[in-house]
Amino acid sequence: MAGSDPAARGTSAPDAPFAPDAPSAPDAVKILIAGGFGVGKTTMVGAVSEIVPLRTEEPLTSAGLHVDDLDGIEEKRATTVALDFGRITLSPELVLYLFGTPGQQRFWFMWNDLAIGALGAVVLIDVRRPESSFAAIDFFERRGIPFVVGVNGFHGQHPYTPEEIRDALALPERTPVLLCDARERGSCRDVLITLIDELIASSSHN
């Protein structure tokens, strides 16, 4: 038909909507970074994220002196009041969206909403205050959400082995326990890769 040739009209033919060789979009996986107050969640998200992380930090004030337990973390000056958010691309096929949870008990009600759609979690442990993350471990165990434990060595120090940490937290052998540094991108990335490996192994057994 006259005039049906796109070149004759000075326009180009539209691309095929589903070209066979077109790259597919990567899978997106929601991961929670959880743990007690001041264990390094915001630091970890910031260290590993490939984008500028979203933070909802507010300064600690005198009003919270009798509410927030600062034993062992007296240098802490701000706290997350909602969430931290970051993103890391592990491969062309896989992108992780990271959601850091608030640590203080008065904000724990938000965890249920943040957990919606999460496939797994990293529970950060401060070896100086391991009891501060007991609630996070219980949270994921009760909901059947797979998790790994990252033992954050403050000042680069790891006085205990993963086996000693496992015994202290009464964790089963199937739960990975990894020594890490929340300030170091490579260290945080290794923890996340271990979690993804666990999720893949778990799905293959179901």
Side-chain angles (χ1 to χ4, degrees):
M1 179 181 297
S4 62
D5 183 358
R9 298 194 301 269
T11 61
S12 58
D15 293 333
F18 300 105
D21 57 350
S24 59
D27 290 330
V29 176
K30 180 180 181 180
I31 299 296
L32 296 189
I33 310 297
F37 179 46
V39 297
K41 301 180 296 296
T42 298
T43 300
M44 180 177 188
V45 173
V48 78
S49 178
E50 64 196 16
I51 62 173
V52 177
L54 168 67
R55 293 174 174 168
T56 58
E57 285 192 310
E58 294 293 339
L60 291 172
T61 65
S62 58
L65 290 178
H66 302 293
V67 180
D68 300 322
D69 182 7
L70 294 176
D71 288 345
I73 51 171
E74 291 82 3
E75 72 282 1
K76 190 171 177 61
R77 295 292 178 266
T79 185
T80 299
V81 297
L83 60 87
D84 300 308
F85 174 77
R87 184 188 73 199
I88 177 173
T89 301
L90 290 185
S91 73
E93 296 80 29
L94 183 61
V95 174
L96 304 186
Y97 291 99
L98 310 176
F99 291 78
T101 65
Q104 302 100 309
Q105 186 172 356
R106 64 183 185 273
F107 296 127
W108 285 356
F109 70 91
M110 299 183 61
W111 287 33
N112 287 322
D113 290 337
L114 290 173
I116 296 174
L119 295 188
V122 174
V123 176
L124 278 184
I125 301 291
D126 179 353
V127 292
R128 303 169 300 179
R129 303 174 300 115
E131 70 283 352
S132 68
S133 292
F134 285 170
I137 292 173
D138 183 63
F139 178 89
F140 295 113
E141 286 182 337
R142 286 189 286 111
R143 286 161 178 78
I145 298 176
F147 66 93
V148 301
V149 171
V151 184
N152 186 18
F154 282 78
H155 310 297
Q157 298 178 354
H158 287 287
Y160 305 105
T161 67
E163 291 72 23
E164 290 172 323
I165 296 293
R166 183 188 306 281
D167 290 342
L169 299 176
L171 292 170
E173 283 293 328
R174 67 178 182 274
T175 302
V177 178
L178 304 101
L179 304 181
C180 67
D181 187 333
R183 302 168 300 177
E184 298 293 334
R185 176 180 174 83
S187 179
C188 298
R189 188 174 185 274
D190 289 344
V191 173
L192 292 170
I193 290 174
T194 299
L195 174 60
I196 294 302
D197 288 343
E198 288 298 307
L199 295 178
I200 293 173
S202 176
S203 64
S204 66
H205 293 155
N206 294 334

